[in-house]
Amino acid sequence: MKLKTHAEEAAEFIKDDARTHWHDDTLWHVRSNRDRSAQGIPEWETLRDTASATKDYVLSHIDELLEQFEANAKANGVEVLWAKDGKEHNQHVYRILQENKVKNIVKSKSILTEECGLNHYLEKKGYDVVDTDLGERIIQFAKQTPSHIVLPAIHLKKQDIGDIFHNHIGTKAGASDPNYLTEAARQHLRKKFVQANAAITGVNFGIAETGGFVVCTNEGNADMGTHLADVHIACMGIEKLIPRAADLGVFLRLLARSATGQSITNYSSHFHRPAEGKKLYIILVDNGRTDQLGREDFKNSLKCIRCGACMNTCPIYRRSGGHSYNYTVPGPIGSILSPGRDLKKYSSLPFASTLCGSCSDVCPVKINIHEQLYKWRQVIAENTDMDRSKKLSMKVAGMTFGKPVLYDLAGKVARTALKITPKSLVYSSINVWGRHRDLPEVPKESFKEWYKKNRKQ
Amino acid sequence: MTSKEAILGAIKKNKPAASPLPDLLKFSDETNLIERYEKGLTGNGGKLQVVDTLEELDAFVKENYTNDQLIASLVDEVNGNVDVSKISNPHDLEHVELAILNGELGVSENGAIWMPENNVVHRVLPFIAQHLIIVIREETLLTNMHQAYEKVNVADGGYGVFIAGPSKTADIEQSLVIGAHGPRSLTVFLVKK
Ligand code: SF4
């Protein structure tokens, strides 16, 4: 079966024009909140530089930091396990559940367990895994996957959620009031928390210096789960490490502000030792991360703290929906991470970008996202039998960007061409993107020309 | 070869050249800390009461809660009716209506309060209670998170949490709803110097 490209997948999403606009506006609103919040912090750029440099240190010392982390965690009474891939991670979880005779599991949002396919694996083994983040619970009921890493159900309207809850937890038919629905979910999930024997969480930051880790939520669901259950399993990608506890000052200031514009998540929980009589496990997962570390052009993607800002700002993501990426982490950063996992399968994702650079501008750890996307395009052009028209336009783009004179000339030609191109050509079936887009107003002169004329001497 | 050896081996082979560890950041103190704190807290859905003495907290509790509601107080000046220290199973806290706790320090930039395990006795208490009141002292107010991490040793206890507001969600069409799983309200009583 031929794999669907991002554009083909997106075509499904944009069939509903009103919904596409609504999705676009909603995410833009989140992005605007981020801007307002960042602008309220005079030292914002210093924070970003420091976060990025701290992660550079982490990536270049990650073996030492992992060993330090493990030794400290063990000394704290935590059991530390290592997993090469998703399969081994899932096997560890399964063994722990069996050893502790666990029946009921609550989980709080973890993109890593999504990446490893944990829910599916455990369900096949007969376990009922309850996702407790409200957004995750909604899509779990709907048998979908998250469409966004911070806002998993952002693609659904309240009427959709009302229908889902009506079918699964018996709310009134047609009800769509968020207060009413959240209250119903609260009552439903409280029962699950009280019954659970094990809680699985992700990890936002692992602290090498202390062997502890931090989990951030707004709902408090990670805490409700872990403090009531006897077993806590924390699943952590190896790149989540930071060297010192005090580095959290930088990262916690950046994370929530970049994600949704709030100053901090309402709960930032620091776990170091299991409570008396309870058990705490940490699984350190590679699953392709060490490979990415060896890719000079792409290793920076491992600095990602999963804030989702690059998704909220991406003009393509906002108009095509997270599911069109077909990968656990969608949007610009997902389009960098996925080709490293499977170049063929994800070969269309690095093209799902305008290369406008907005993602790199908002990224709190200053990952050069759009440059990496451009680099992946070149790798893909060389290594796959990408369609000819894309290959050709890549070559032309490469030549043009490389020679300023050509670039200027191309701009002039394009400005004229855009003016005289008949709409029938732009909106032809050959041009996938043109189908849903109107042409921009063509500027009479380029910025460079304008600048030359108007700059003050 | 164990998975640990395999992962560490792959890192040694693939890791980039050493980069230096940046110095910790410091920014100067701000003024108007109470005002800033209130802005931070209310931004996250919490409420602030500035008081001179904790008698005002006691009066607040009497006014807003009745004696047949379960109240767990770990603040000396207020008497509750649940003795948390006598509870061994955290599940027994399921029906607590109000928890009253002492916070270690407050951070003005975002309203967060450091709450170490010692101050809650049961880790689940600040989450399972329907409502939460936290007491902080004006002299513990700090400007930002950098200062907070300078003051706090996060590894001291087994667990500690920055609480910055009540339990909230915006997962249904981005509408803010307070009271997802945990407390439906957070009121901070800030005691003036
Ligand atoms: S790449 Fe940057 S902006 Fe995107 S999710 Fe990661 S940290 Fe956030």
Side-chain angles (χ1 to χ4, degrees):
Chain A
M1 195 187 74
K2 194 184 171 296
L3 279 164
K4 281 197 178 166
T5 64
H6 174 266
E8 284 163 347
E9 294 274 2
E12 249 334 281
F13 184 80
I14 55 182
K15 265 188 196 151
D16 186 341
D17 201 42
R19 198 177 268 254
T20 309
H21 279 287
W22 164 77
H23 190 263
D24 179 17
D25 291 343
T26 308
L27 286 159
W28 183 252
H29 179 73
V30 181
R31 148 84 211 250
S32 317
N33 287 346
R34 172 259 172 218
D35 286 352
R36 216 173 311 123
S37 192
Q39 281 151 14
I41 305 289
E43 59 267 23
W44 185 255
E45 290 307 316
T46 310
L47 293 176
R48 287 178 76 209
D49 286 333
T50 308
S52 186
T54 306
K55 281 287 182 183
D56 277 327
Y57 175 84
V58 171
L59 294 184
S60 61
H61 295 81
I62 192 161
D63 45 348
E64 295 149 46
L65 292 171
L66 280 167
E67 295 210 71
Q68 188 190 1
F69 177 79
E70 182 190 36
N72 286 325
K74 277 184 170 165
N76 292 338
V78 179
E79 192 172 319
V80 180
L81 300 147
W82 300 70
K84 283 196 299 291
D85 52 23
K87 190 170 153 219
E88 192 178 9
H89 163 267
N90 293 347
Q91 286 165 348
H92 282 318
V93 174
Y94 180 56
R95 186 182 53 73
I96 296 168
L97 297 176
Q98 287 216 304
E99 272 175 21
N100 290 284
K101 302 193 171 44
V102 168
K103 286 198 189 72
N104 300 313
I105 307 161
V106 285
K107 201 164 128 259
S108 79
K109 199 167 68 184
S110 156
I111 303 153
L112 177 62
T113 60
E114 247 340 284
E115 179 188 316
C116 298
L118 181 68
N119 279 19
H120 187 63
Y121 170 91
L122 289 179
E123 273 150 25
K124 280 221 288 234
K125 301 262 182 206
Y127 285 100
D128 182 24
V129 185
V130 176
D131 277 326
T132 59
D133 173 88
L134 179 61
E136 295 249 311
R137 189 63 179 148
I138 292 165
I139 53 157
Q140 191 178 32
F141 279 145
K143 296 211 176 342
Q144 296 183 2
T145 52
S147 73
H148 187 288
I149 56 172
V150 174
L151 317 160
I154 192 76
H155 60 293
L156 294 173
K157 295 201 145 198
K158 56 189 180 194
Q159 287 80 7
D160 305 328
I161 296 167
D163 291 342
I164 293 168
F165 276 14
H166 174 64
N167 289 331
H168 287 91
I169 54 175
T171 51
K172 279 180 277 173
S176 65
D177 173 42
N179 280 294
Y180 167 75
L181 295 174
T182 303
E183 180 64 29
R186 175 185 175 98
Q187 301 304 337
H188 159 76
L189 284 166
R190 278 218 155 206
K191 283 195 205 100
K192 301 289 181 189
F193 282 124
V194 172
Q195 292 161 358
N197 328 94
I200 299 175
T201 71
V203 167
N204 287 92
F205 303 100
I207 314 163
E209 177 190 39
T210 64
F213 60 92
V214 175
V215 182
C216 304
T217 73
N218 275 314
E219 298 178 12
N221 53 319
D223 289 278
M224 280 291 274
T226 55
H227 304 326
L228 286 172
D230 286 335
V231 176
H232 175 183
I233 308 171
C235 307
M236 172 179 156
I238 52 172
E239 84 286 12
K240 286 286 164 94
L241 276 180
I242 54 165
R244 306 159 293 198
D247 294 316
L248 288 165
V250 174
F251 287 100
L252 289 190
R253 293 188 82 191
L254 288 168
L255 179 61
R257 287 188 176 96
S258 299
T260 61
Q262 58 184 334
S263 53
I264 187 169
T265 52
N266 279 6
Y267 302 105
S268 310
S269 305
H270 301 55
F271 295 88
H272 277 88
R273 275 179 275 279
E276 228 180 73
K278 303 202 177 192
K279 283 188 182 161
L280 177 53
Y281 301 82
I282 298 174
I283 308 177
L284 297 168
V285 185
D286 179 347
N287 205 31
R289 286 161 176 76
T290 51
D291 292 336
Q292 189 79 334
L293 190 65
R295 296 183 184 111
E296 176 56 31
D297 287 339
F298 306 111
K299 63 174 195 311
N300 267 348
S301 60
L302 293 169
K303 294 178 179 178
C304 174
I305 57 172
R306 302 287 192 264
C307 71
C310 55
M311 289 153 218
N312 304 341
T313 201
C314 176
I316 305 286
Y317 175 92
R318 294 202 315 267
R319 289 170 182 82
S320 57
H323 288 145
S324 62
Y325 293 79
N326 246 324
Y327 187 65
T328 316
V329 179
I333 183 66
S335 303
I336 297 175
L337 296 171
S338 54
R341 302 306 309 278
D342 186 335
L343 191 67
K344 252 218 163 111
K345 185 169 173 196
Y346 299 111
S347 67
S348 72
L349 293 191
F351 294 90
S353 166
T354 62
L355 301 187
C356 65
S358 184
C359 45
S360 308
D361 285 342
V362 295
C363 179
V365 285
K366 288 195 136 176
I367 300 171
N368 54 337
I369 305 173
H370 71 296
E371 287 169 19
Q372 293 193 36
L373 289 171
Y374 183 60
K375 291 211 163 119
W376 267 129
R377 291 185 185 186
Q378 290 163 298
V379 175
I380 288 161
E382 271 162 38
N383 294 287
T384 65
D385 41 287
M386 188 169 81
D387 74 61
R388 299 262 296 291
S389 69
K390 244 179 207 169
K391 241 180 204 172
L392 185 69
S393 63
M394 284 262 312
K395 254 195 205 132
V396 175
M399 262 163 54
T400 323
F401 285 136
K403 301 205 175 60
V405 181
L406 260 187
Y407 179 82
D408 287 349
L409 182 66
K412 258 187 204 129
V413 173
R415 277 187 296 283
T416 315
L418 269 173
K419 252 185 281 181
I420 56 173
T421 306
K423 282 209 169 189
S424 63
L425 189 64
V426 181
Y427 292 102
S428 73
S429 56
I430 311 166
N431 181 353
V432 192
W433 281 108
R435 258 178 254 152
H436 289 268
R437 268 154 199 84
D438 215 337
L439 287 174
E441 277 277 322
V442 188
K444 283 188 204 64
E445 50 191 359
S446 73
F447 174 74
K448 208 163 154 187
E449 288 162 346
W450 174 89
Y451 183 77
K452 257 193 206 153
K453 245 194 281 171
N454 293 287
R455 74 174 161 184
K456 303 237 153 54
Q457 294 302 325
Chain B
M1 189 164 49
T2 65
S3 295
K4 177 181 169 179
E5 287 161 1
I7 294 171
L8 292 178
I11 293 173
K12 286 202 174 77
K13 207 171 79 210
N14 287 347
K15 71 175 176 177
S19 244
L21 180 60
D23 291 335
L24 292 173
L25 294 178
K26 267 195 185 15
F27 300 98
S28 43
D29 289 346
E30 304 269 9
T31 51
N32 302 331
L33 285 186
I34 294 185
E35 227 168 85
R36 284 168 191 273
Y37 181 82
E38 178 162 27
K39 204 167 154 239
L41 180 68
T42 49
N44 299 327
K47 287 192 200 85
L48 183 71
Q49 301 271 352
V50 182
V51 297
D52 292 316
T53 71
L54 285 176
E55 277 162 33
E56 291 175 60
L57 166 59
D58 195 45
F60 177 91
V61 173
K62 289 206 171 94
E63 205 174 298
N64 290 286
Y65 295 86
T66 55
N67 233 336
D68 55 356
Q69 292 179 309
L70 296 183
I71 298 173
S73 174
L74 289 164
V75 172
D76 290 342
E77 288 83 351
V78 184
N79 289 322
N81 51 21
V82 180
D83 188 348
V84 180
S85 61
K86 293 227 171 74
I87 284 172
S88 57
N89 184 347
H91 284 84
D92 295 343
L93 297 164
E94 198 191 335
H95 299 292
V96 169
E97 183 69 18
L98 171 68
I100 309 172
L101 306 170
N102 277 308
E104 241 0 66
L105 55 84
V107 186
S108 298
E109 65 153 312
N110 56 21
I113 296 167
W114 177 246
M115 189 60 75
E117 182 160 25
N118 274 339
N119 294 26
V120 298
V121 182
H122 288 287
R123 292 179 185 184
V124 80
L125 182 59
F127 301 93
I128 204 165
Q130 296 286 330
H131 296 274
L132 182 60
I133 290 177
I134 303 178
V135 173
I136 55 172
R137 311 262 157 190
E138 186 186 355
E139 58 269 24
T140 69
L141 278 189
L142 302 170
T143 296
N144 56 39
M145 294 300 287
H146 312 286
Q147 295 179 349
Y149 281 106
E150 233 173 70
K151 276 255 157 67
V152 166
N153 181 350
V154 291
D156 252 355
Y159 169 80
V161 53
F162 277 108
I163 299 178
S167 168
K168 69 169 182 187
T169 180
D171 274 341
I172 301 178
E173 269 198 34
Q174 286 295 293
S175 323
L176 178 67
V177 181
I178 305 279
H181 312 287
R184 299 169 185 274
S185 74
L186 167 67
T187 312
V188 175
F189 277 78
L190 190 143
V191 187
K192 291 268 271 183
K193 274 187 238 189

